[in-house]
Amino acid sequence: MAGILAMILAGGEGSRLFPLTQSRTKPAVPFGGNYRLVDFALNNFVNADLMKIYVLTQFKSQSLNIHLRKAWRLSGVMGNRFIEAVPAQQRVNKNWYSGTADAIYQNARFIEKSEPEHVCIFGSDHIYKMDVQQMVEHHKAKGGSLTVAAIRVVKEQAYHFGIIEVDEEGRMIGFAEKPAVEDAKTIPGDPDHVLASMGNYIFKSDVLLKELYADAPDNNSSHDFGKDIIPKLYPKGDVFIYKLSDNYIPGEPKTAYWRDVGTIDSYWEAHMDLLMHETPFSLYNKHWPLHTYHPPLPPATFRDHGDSVSDIAQSLIGAGSYINGAKIDNSILGFRSHVCKNVLIKDSVFLGNAKVGAGCRLTKVILDKNVEIAPGTIIGENLEEDRKRFTVSDNGVVVVAKDSRVGFEEPAAAVEDKKVLADSVL
């Protein structure tokens, strides 16, 4: 579609997802066995045939850049169709991006150079499907300066989002960024729900540039779309909303699915959604393929080991995995997960390249990449003990950090014996 430029914000630090973001930016966090969080936003544009995309990166972006290069590089001869990573280069000043609007302002030259009629500004760390072209058509039909994607959420979660009020025509007449629950305006006739901004916007490009250049020198601004740009823009009367529930994708449930995976608990819950008998988010829709990078690996292999029979139920197992006489229930194992005999894995998520020794029991555990678990190790059954070694979420999800070797530590008695020996030598 001519005249549409997309700018995807992919510089999020993701501190609430620690330790998964200890060495990577939030959009680069693996998800669903095969993917990265950024893939879902990119698929929403690519499947809608909107192929002029800048991905704005910042914090800990190396793994993200590698993934974008492997999974999303387009042919150099297609100059009018591109997906290009743009690192924070401090072109305007010596500061890192200070807010979502500042990130676009510091890269305004790409808008000015491309001269699009409209600019799509989307986040990159949510799980959902949207045909963005349908939102573009809605935006054009309304003729407004800005269209904000919105979704219905329970009132108790209002403090996480920008909360919107609209009139009968879908025009924004009120906006509050992350209000207290008691102050959040609910949907008329529905006191239990609010209309929340998804952080996805379509601007008329001239309006966007005007607002960015007006906001940039304001020392009282936090240079954020939700906190500064939208509150100044909507009183002019030409800001509209687009409901995700109005978006139609063949083969998908009619109920709109959108997950903010900003915490360990919501991240784990989104994985569990994939394992439901009637999953609200399908990985298998041929009408909406989920593109990503697939390493050259053999199929997952399942073998029995003597009396230890591999028993896999309600689970997703990545390519290159080798399951040797283990029981896996309601879990997602990423690429190259090697699991030995007599292992029990339940309600867990492996991000890839995990090695689990014989006789282990893992319950409600997230293993980051390159983790090795010693034989006989138990995780997830005694949270008090787990907190001494790992990150444990509010809802009891245990996270084992990247590159960890668990259970190979020397027993305390052996350490004490070495100390006594050293003292005697001295």
Side-chain angles (χ1 to χ4, degrees):
M1 181 180 293
I4 306 297
L5 179 70
M7 305 189 84
I8 296 181
L9 300 169
E13 199 168 4
S15 57
R16 294 184 299 162
L17 272 178
F18 185 88
L20 301 182
T21 51
Q22 185 173 17
S23 61
R24 59 170 77 92
T25 185
K26 184 180 176 184
V29 171
F31 183 85
N34 286 2
Y35 310 96
R36 304 274 183 150
L37 293 182
V38 72
D39 289 332
F40 298 95
L42 287 169
N43 276 295
N44 288 336
F45 282 92
V46 170
N47 284 327
D49 198 30
L50 298 174
M51 303 283 279
K52 297 180 180 180
I53 305 170
Y54 289 111
V55 182
L56 309 186
T57 66
Q58 183 167 229
F59 297 107
K60 303 174 184 176
S61 61
Q62 182 180 7
S63 62
L64 176 61
N65 291 333
I66 292 172
H67 175 72
L68 292 173
R69 186 170 67 249
K70 289 181 176 179
W72 295 101
R73 183 166 59 181
L74 299 180
S75 172
V77 301
M78 302 173 66
N80 63 335
R81 298 165 72 86
F82 59 86
I83 298 173
E84 184 175 336
V86 181
Q89 299 175 69
Q90 301 170 320
R91 290 180 179 273
V92 176
N93 52 50
K94 295 183 179 181
N95 301 321
W96 292 105
Y97 302 146
S98 59
T100 54
D102 183 56
I104 303 300
Y105 167 72
Q106 290 200 38
N107 292 282
R109 68 186 186 90
F110 292 109
I111 302 172
E112 294 164 341
K113 180 181 178 181
S114 300
E115 297 183 334
E117 184 180 358
H118 306 281
V119 180
C120 299
I121 300 171
F122 276 50
S124 60
D125 49 13
H126 300 104
I127 307 301
Y128 70 107
K129 296 177 185 177
M130 174 194 280
D131 183 343
V132 181
Q133 194 167 131
Q134 293 177 32
M135 183 177 171
V136 169
E137 293 299 333
H138 177 87
H139 170 72
K140 288 183 174 182
K142 288 293 184 180
S145 61
L146 165 64
T147 300
V148 179
I151 192 167
R152 177 174 169 266
V153 300
V154 294
K155 182 180 180 181
E156 287 73 22
Q157 296 296 315
Y159 66 96
H160 289 305
F161 305 103
I163 303 304
I164 304 166
E165 294 179 78
V166 296
D167 64 13
E168 296 80 6
E169 297 180 4
R171 180 183 286 105
M172 187 182 296
I173 58 173
F175 185 85
E177 179 70 3
K178 299 181 179 179
V181 172
E182 59 271 17
D183 297 330
K185 300 291 186 180
T186 57
I187 298 172
D190 186 356
D192 297 325
H193 293 86
V194 295
L195 193 62
S197 168
M198 296 168 59
N200 296 340
Y201 316 112
I202 301 179
F203 280 90
K204 281 187 175 179
S205 61
D206 57 343
V207 173
L208 173 61
L209 291 171
K210 180 181 177 181
E211 294 297 324
L212 292 177
Y213 280 106
D215 176 76
D218 184 354
N219 292 328
N220 295 318
S221 174
S222 56
H223 311 299
D224 184 85
F225 284 110
K227 295 177 182 177
D228 305 289
I229 304 297
I230 295 176
K232 292 176 184 175
L233 200 54
Y234 84 80
K236 298 177 183 179
D238 62 348
V239 175
F240 293 87
I241 64 105
Y242 176 76
K243 295 180 182 178
L244 181 62
S245 57
D246 291 337
N247 200 263
Y248 171 71
I249 296 175
E252 292 294 319
K254 292 183 179 179
T255 303
Y257 180 88
W258 183 77
R259 269 281 191 180
D260 179 357
V261 290
T263 66
I264 291 297
D265 286 323
S266 61
Y267 176 81
W268 177 85
E269 290 164 2
H271 278 92
M272 296 301 105
D273 288 344
L274 298 178
L275 300 173
M276 296 172 64
H277 287 285
E278 295 184 7
T279 177
F281 187 89
S282 173
L283 301 177
Y284 303 96
N285 186 354
K286 64 181 180 180
H287 302 291
W288 199 261
L290 293 174
H291 306 276
T292 189
Y293 170 68
H294 295 281
L297 293 170
T301 301
F302 307 92
R303 297 194 184 281
D304 299 335
H305 190 283
D307 294 334
S308 299
V309 178
S310 289
D311 182 2
I312 318 298
Q314 204 70 18
S315 297
L316 302 177
I317 311 297
S321 295
Y322 193 96
I323 313 301
N324 192 20
K327 182 175 182 179
I328 302 173
D329 181 33
N330 203 59
S331 296
I332 297 177
L333 277 58
F335 296 130
R336 302 187 195 89
S337 295
H338 290 195
V339 184
C340 295
K341 66 177 182 178
N342 296 322
V343 169
L344 173 60
I345 299 170
K346 185 176 181 181
D347 301 334
S348 294
V349 179
F350 293 7
L351 303 195
N353 203 33
K355 296 180 180 179
V356 181
C360 292
R361 297 202 305 268
L362 307 181
T363 305
K364 208 172 179 180
V365 174
I366 297 173
L367 297 189
D368 204 335
K369 286 191 172 184
N370 309 325
V371 170
E372 186 172 358
I373 307 294
T377 302
I378 298 173
I379 306 175
E381 297 181 13
N382 186 333
L383 297 183
E384 185 176 343
E385 287 299 315
D386 289 335
R387 287 189 181 92
K388 297 176 182 178
R389 298 189 292 171
F390 313 114
T391 298
V392 180
S393 74
D394 293 340
N395 292 341
V397 179
V398 183
V399 186
V400 181
K402 186 178 179 182
D403 300 321
S404 296
R405 298 185 76 249
V406 179
F408 295 95
E409 304 87 353
E410 288 186 281
V415 174
E416 184 62 26
D417 288 344
K418 284 186 177 181
K419 182 176 182 299
V420 170
L421 179 61
D423 289 344
S424 65
V425 171
L426 292 173

Coordinates of all heavy atoms in Angstrom, one line a residue, residues 409-421:
E409 N 27.0 -27.5 41.6 CA 27.8 -26.9 42.7 C 28.3 -28.0 43.6 O 27.7 -29.0 43.8 CB 26.9 -25.9 43.5 CG 26.3 -24.8 42.6 CD 24.9 -25.3 42.0 OE1 24.6 -26.4 42.2 OE2 24.3 -24.4 41.4
E410 N 29.4 -27.7 44.3 CA 30.0 -28.7 45.2 C 29.1 -28.7 46.5 O 28.6 -27.7 46.9 CB 31.4 -28.3 45.6 CG 32.4 -28.5 44.5 CD 33.8 -28.2 45.1 OE1 34.2 -27.0 45.1 OE2 34.5 -29.1 45.4
P411 N 28.9 -29.9 47.0 CA 28.1 -30.0 48.3 C 28.8 -29.2 49.4 O 30.0 -29.1 49.4 CB 28.1 -31.5 48.6 CG 28.4 -32.2 47.3 CD 29.3 -31.2 46.5
A412 N 28.0 -28.7 50.3 CA 28.6 -27.9 51.4 C 29.6 -28.6 52.2 O 30.6 -28.1 52.6 CB 27.4 -27.4 52.3
A413 N 29.4 -29.9 52.4 CA 30.4 -30.7 53.1 C 31.7 -30.8 52.5 O 32.8 -30.7 53.1 CB 29.8 -32.2 53.3
A414 N 31.7 -30.9 51.1 CA 33.0 -30.9 50.4 C 33.7 -29.6 50.5 O 34.9 -29.6 50.6 CB 32.7 -31.3 48.9
V415 N 33.0 -28.5 50.4 CA 33.6 -27.2 50.6 C 34.2 -27.0 52.0 O 35.3 -26.5 52.1 CB 32.5 -26.1 50.3 CG1 33.1 -24.7 50.6 CG2 32.0 -26.1 48.9
E416 N 33.5 -27.5 53.0 CA 34.0 -27.4 54.4 C 35.3 -28.3 54.5 O 36.3 -27.9 55.2 CB 33.0 -27.9 55.4 CG 33.3 -27.7 56.8 CD 33.6 -26.3 57.2 OE1 33.1 -25.4 56.6 OE2 34.4 -26.1 58.2
D417 N 35.3 -29.5 53.9 CA 36.5 -30.3 54.0 C 37.7 -29.6 53.4 O 38.8 -29.7 53.9 CB 36.2 -31.7 53.2 CG 35.3 -32.6 54.0 OD1 35.1 -32.3 55.2 OD2 34.7 -33.5 53.4
K418 N 37.5 -28.9 52.2 CA 38.6 -28.2 51.6 C 39.1 -27.1 52.5 O 40.3 -26.9 52.6 CB 38.1 -27.7 50.2 CG 38.0 -28.7 49.1 CD 37.7 -28.1 47.8 CE 37.6 -29.1 46.7 NZ 37.4 -28.4 45.4
K419 N 38.2 -26.5 53.2 CA 38.6 -25.4 54.0 C 39.4 -25.9 55.2 O 40.4 -25.3 55.6 CB 37.3 -24.6 54.6 CG 37.6 -23.4 55.5 CD 36.4 -22.7 55.8 CE 36.7 -21.5 56.7 NZ 37.3 -21.8 58.0
V420 N 39.0 -27.0 55.8 CA 39.7 -27.6 56.9 C 41.1 -28.0 56.5 O 42.1 -27.7 57.2 CB 39.0 -28.8 57.5 CG1 39.8 -29.5 58.5 CG2 37.7 -28.3 58.1
L421 N 41.2 -28.6 55.3 CA 42.5 -29.0 54.8 C 43.4 -27.8 54.5 O 44.6 -27.8 54.9 CB 42.3 -29.8 53.4 CG 43.6 -30.3 52.8 CD1 44.3 -31.2 53.7 CD2 43.3 -31.0 51.4

